[in-house]
Amino acid sequence: SRSGTTIMSGRVLNLKRDESAKFSFYLSAPIILGAVILTCLKGETITIVSTNLSYFIIGILVSFIVGILTIKYLLKYLKNHDFKIFMWYRLILALIVIISLII
C-alpha cells in the first residue's frame, strides 16, 4: 500500500515511527485532492453531488472527523509501539486473498 511504502521509507531514512507516519499522512493530502478534482471533472459527478448536497456535506464532515481522530490515536499508539501488528495483519490478509483466489 502507499502508506506502508512511505512509512517504511521514512523508517529506512531513520525517521521515528510517529514522524514516519506523519510524513505518510502529509503525502496523502495532494493525492486525495487530485483524486477529488479528477472525479469532480466527470460530468455525472457534479450532477450527483448537486442533487444530494446535504448527504455529500455530511459525508465529508464525518469522514474528516473520523480521519482526524484515527490519525490522532494512531500517532499516539506509534509513540510507544511498533508496526508489527500491522505487518501481521497485512500478511494474514494477503494469505486470505491468495487462498480465496486459488479456490
Side-chain angles (χ1 to χ4, degrees):
S1 69
R2 178 206 50 82
S3 60
T5 303
T6 55
I7 289 172
M8 181 197 64
S9 299
R11 294 295 289 151
V12 168
L13 295 171
N14 295 322
L15 292 177
K16 296 178 186 173
R17 288 185 300 261
D18 59 327
E19 291 173 347
S20 186
K22 284 181 187 178
F23 174 69
S24 178
F25 293 135
Y26 291 144
L27 282 178
S28 71
I31 294 167
I32 293 169
L33 178 63
V36 168
I37 290 170
L38 286 175
T39 302
C40 287
L41 290 176
K42 296 178 182 174
E44 67 272 3
T45 302
I46 299 295
T47 306
I48 293 169
V49 170
S50 63
T51 57
N52 300 295
L53 190 58
S54 60
Y55 294 119
F56 184 72
I57 292 171
I58 290 170
I60 289 174
L61 290 174
V62 170
S63 296
F64 178 75
I65 292 168
V66 170
I68 293 295
L69 290 174
T70 303
I71 290 169
K72 176 185 174 184
Y73 289 110
L74 178 63
L75 292 177
K76 187 176 180 180
Y77 173 85
L78 290 177
K79 287 188 181 206
N80 300 316
H81 301 86
D82 58 18
F83 291 105
K84 285 182 185 172
I85 192 167
F86 301 108
M87 176 195 69
W88 285 111
Y89 153 74
R90 296 294 297 200
L91 289 174
I92 292 168
L93 180 63
L95 186 60
I96 290 170
V97 169
I98 291 169
I99 290 171
S100 68
L101 288 174
I102 291 172
I103 295 175

